[in-house]
Amino acid sequence: MFTSSKCSHIRPILINFGDSNSDTGGVLAGTGLPIGLPHGITFFHRGTGRLGDGRLVIDFFCEHLKLSYLSPYLDSLAPNFTSGVNFAVSGATLLPQFVPFALDVQVRQFIRFKNRSLELLSMGSRNSFGEDGFRSALYMIDLEQNDLLLALYASNLSYAPVIEKIPSFLAEIKLAVQNIYLYGGRKFWIHNTGPMGCAPKELALHPHNNTDLDRIGCLRVHNDVAKAFNEGLQKVCKETRSEFKDATIVYVDIYKIKYNLFAKYKKYGFEDPFMACCGYGGPPNNYNVKQHVASLVTASAEIYHSR
C-alpha cells in the first residue's frame, strides 16, 4: 500500500481515527488531563499523552515510513501535519454519536481539517498537504474496544446482551468508511479488536476462577465477544470492498497478533504477559484500581489549584 523506497513517487500520508491504542496526545490536548511518568518512560522519557511506557504501533508505522510522529488534531501548540494527522483520543467510542470524541465526531473533525487545510494551502501555508495527499493517504481506523468493554460491564460480563449490540457498532465503522470515501479517501487500514480478556486491567477488575479463563489465562467471555465482533468486522470490510470498487480496504487481524504475544511471551522477551507496564501494585497484574482512581483525583486537584 505504501513503500519507503526511494523509487516511490507517492509521499506517505497517515490519517488515523482511534482510541488509546493510537492516541499520540489527543486526550492530553483535548482535556488537559496530565499523563506523566511512568507513561513514556522507556522511550520518550516523559509523558507525551500516550497511554503506554513507550511508542505505539502507529509510531512504528511513522518510523518505518520515515515520517515524523503524527500530531494530534487537537494540539494547538506547534503541530506538524505534513505527515498526516491523528484524530484518536483515549476513551473514544463508536456510540453514542455526537459525543466527544466518538468516531463520527472524529470523522467530522477530519472533514473540517481537510476543508481548512485546502483553504490555507491556497493562501500559501505549508503545514499540511493538498488534494492529492488526501486521496493517496492511508486512512487507519482502530476504534471499538471501549464500546465492547462498556457493554460487557453493563451486562455483568454476559455474552448474549453484548452480541446484540455488535451490529450497531459495526454500522458506525461502515458509515465512517463511506463518509471518508466521499471526501476522497481510497486506502483504508482497519484494525479488528484485540484479545481484551488478556489485558491486565480486566483480569484485575473482575474476580474469576480457572473456569473463566482460556488455555493461556485470559478471560474467556471478553475474548469470545472480541472474536464475534471481529467476524462481523471482516464481513463489513468485504461488503465495503464490493461497494467501492476503486478503494483498497485492508482488514488487519490485530487479535491474532496480540494473542500470539500473550501465548508465546517468552519468545518475544517478556517476563510476565499479565503485568501492566505502567501500573501499580505488583503481581499478579500490577494494577490497583484504588491507586488508579486516586491518581485521577490528584491530577484533577492539581488542575484546580493551578487556576
Side-chain angles (χ1 to χ4, degrees), residues 125-141:
S125 172
R126 295 184 179 181
N127 187 30
S128 188
F129 40 91
E131 190 69 60
D132 289 343
F134 282 103
R135 189 173 182 84
S136 66
L138 178 62
Y139 292 84
M140 306 173 69
I141 299 177

Side-chain angles (χ1 to χ4, degrees), residues 16-19 73-74 86-110 141-144 146-147 150 168-169 172-173 175-176 179-180:
N16 184 68
F17 306 86
D19 53 26
Y73 168 75
L74 296 171
N86 193 1
F87 297 96
V89 175
S90 298
T93 56
L94 297 167
L95 289 172
Q97 294 183 328
F98 310 113
V99 174
F101 294 93
L103 179 58
D104 72 306
V105 172
Q106 293 185 25
V107 171
R108 283 197 295 274
Q109 289 176 328
F110 157 70
I141 299 177
D142 182 7
L143 201 163
E144 66 271 318
N146 292 320
D147 296 87
L150 290 171
S168 62
F169 298 155
E172 289 302 307
I173 294 179
L175 180 61
N179 285 330
I180 294 168

Side-chain angles (χ1 to χ4, degrees), residues 188-193 233 237 250-255 257:
F188 297 88
W189 181 271
I190 302 177
H191 287 203
N192 69 11
T193 198
L233 182 60
C237 290
V250 176
Y251 169 83
V252 185
D253 194 353
I254 287 294
Y255 184 99
I257 295 168

